[in-house]
Every structure is written in structure tokens, then in C-alpha cells.
Amino acid sequence: MQQKNRVILIHGLHQTAWIMRPLAKRLQTAGFETHQYGYRSMRDGIKTNSQRLNAWLESNHNPAKPIDLIGHSLGGLIIRDFIAHYPQWKIGRCVTLGTPHNGSISGDYIWRLAPAIVGKSYEQALDGTVAPLPKAIELGVIAGNKAQGLGQPILAYHNRKLRKTDNAPSAEHLMHDGTVYIQETKIEAAADHIVMPVSHTGMLVDKSVAKQAIYFLQNGQFKR
């Protein structure tokens, strides 16, 4: 039986490493060794948090062995920055959960109205300017379409504005997980993309999401 890669799980904005615990437990049950990487999403920018992940790996991981990466929301952008700036690591497969690969509209609103709420996680990350994904990386993207969460009022307001324009977008383009639009999760370099009936935070404890993430790590595509 082929040995599975160690999986590094990276949480999102305003969260801590413990929030990835339910997903980590399901990965462990599937035979994966896991590490929940914690970082300061408000105080430090994406470059610093990528650098600290690199430092942790240098102290705790054999560079000859590949790693898999799973990131929720902002954590998926840290994955992209980390891979781009620390190419010495062998990367197996990556999965992002509700990550705004194209920038975050809710983040834009908050940055303009109350920048302290997003701290240093906006520039070079939530603003859509994170490093591009290298071509060799197999990335699976999971998005949610259950519109529940703290960003719901902002996105509901934005949708009302869009509907009033001459070129109003389709209903599909207005769908989101309560924080991130489905369209924001799409990235051309991804190997696969799937939309699931979960909210932005709810996807972290959803059994079906965990099964799809595990399936992608094992097969390079989602199960349909």
C-alpha cells in the first residue's frame, strides 16, 4: 500500500488552527498524517505567514517527502503564495475550500469601510493579487452555494446593485456561500472545481466536503 503524504491544513481569516480539527480527524481516519498550521491572519501579511510555514516545515518535515495542502478561504491564498515562493518543497496535491482566488468582493467592501477588520490579509491576498499557481500543481477547488454567514448582508447588498445595472449578471454569477462568490473561487489553473450545498464556514465540518477533499488528494479529481 502506497504511503500517503502528510497533509498541511491552513485555516482562514479570523480563525485559528483548531477550526480545521474536524477535517483533520476525517483525514486521519482515511490514513493521512496531518498538521494544522496556525498563523496570525490580522497582524501579519501573506508573505510573513508563508515564510513561517516554510520555517515550520524546515524544522519538522523531511524535504524528500511530498506534502499535500488544504486551505480554507484565505488559507488557500497562503498555499498559492507559499508554493510560488518556496519551490524547494515537493507538493503532491492541493485543495482549497471557499477560497477567493480572484479576489474578494466582501473583502473589498470591508477594506474600504473598516480596514482593521481584515488587517494585513487584504493586500497581496484578498485583493486578488496573490501569486499565480504554478502549472505543475494539481489543485482541486471546492465552492459552496449556501448563502449563510457574516458576509451575507454585504453580498446581498452587492447583488441588489448588480441587478439594477444594464448588464445584470445571471443568477449563477450571483451565487455565493455567504462570504465568497462561486465565481471568485474559479481559477483556470485548477485541475477540478466542484460546487457543494454548504456555507463558507459550514464546509469545514461537512462530511461530504471532507470526502471530496480526500477523494481529490487520492485521485486528482472530485467524485461525481
Side-chain angles (χ1 to χ4, degrees):
M1 184 176 179
Q2 186 177 2
Q3 185 177 6
K4 294 181 173 65
N5 298 339
R6 170 184 265 178
V7 183
I8 310 298
L9 297 105
I10 309 176
H11 63 82
L13 180 65
H14 297 147
Q15 298 172 342
T16 56
W18 69 266
I19 203 165
M20 304 299 286
R21 184 64 177 164
L23 179 54
K25 293 290 287 184
R26 291 185 173 114
L27 284 159
Q28 291 163 16
T29 300
F32 291 92
E33 178 188 355
T34 67
H35 172 69
Q36 295 154 238
Y37 171 63
Y39 64 96
R40 299 180 297 192
S41 63
M42 299 287 289
R43 289 179 55 185
D44 299 320
I46 192 171
K47 305 287 184 198
T48 298
N49 291 319
S50 293
Q51 183 182 42
R52 287 180 176 159
L53 174 56
N54 178 67
W56 185 88
L57 288 168
E58 287 180 337
S59 298
N60 297 277
H61 187 76
N62 180 354
K65 296 182 178 180
I67 56 173
D68 294 332
L69 297 157
I70 296 180
H72 175 238
S73 197
L74 177 64
L77 302 181
I78 290 178
I79 287 175
R80 285 175 54 186
D81 186 85
F82 167 76
I83 291 173
H85 292 95
Y86 301 97
Q88 69 270 29
W89 297 102
K90 294 183 178 180
I91 307 299
R93 293 185 174 119
C94 304
V95 176
T96 59
L97 312 173
T99 293
H101 287 289
N102 300 307
S104 169
I105 287 173
S106 59
D108 290 343
Y109 275 98
I110 295 170
W111 178 252
R112 292 196 299 268
L113 298 172
I117 295 177
V118 291
K120 292 189 176 181
S121 292
Y122 181 76
E123 295 178 319
Q124 298 181 307
L126 297 176
D127 63 356
T129 62
V130 70
L133 187 75
K135 292 182 179 179
I137 300 299
E138 288 185 81
L139 171 66
V141 175
I142 297 178
N145 62 9
K146 192 173 184 179
Q148 296 178 355
L150 295 176
Q152 167 69 5
I154 292 174
L155 298 186
Y157 167 76
H158 188 69
N159 281 356
R160 287 195 297 270
K161 285 180 59 180
L162 291 175
R163 290 190 183 102
K164 294 177 181 178
T165 62
D166 293 335
N167 297 312
S170 66
E172 181 183 356
H173 279 73
L174 299 176
M175 295 176 68
H176 56 82
D177 63 8
T179 301
V180 174
Y181 283 104
I182 291 174
Q183 292 298 318
E184 292 174 331
T185 69
K186 293 183 178 181
I187 176 172
E188 188 175 348
D192 203 352
H193 183 283
I194 191 169
V195 179
M196 303 187 69
V198 291
S199 66
H200 192 66
T201 302
M203 63 179 68
L204 293 176
V205 296
D206 188 88
K207 292 181 181 179
S208 296
V209 169
K211 288 180 179 178
Q212 287 287 9
I214 290 168
Y215 192 87
F216 185 88
L217 293 183
Q218 294 172 332
N219 300 280
Q221 62 184 21
F222 294 118
K223 186 175 183 179
R224 291 179 171 83

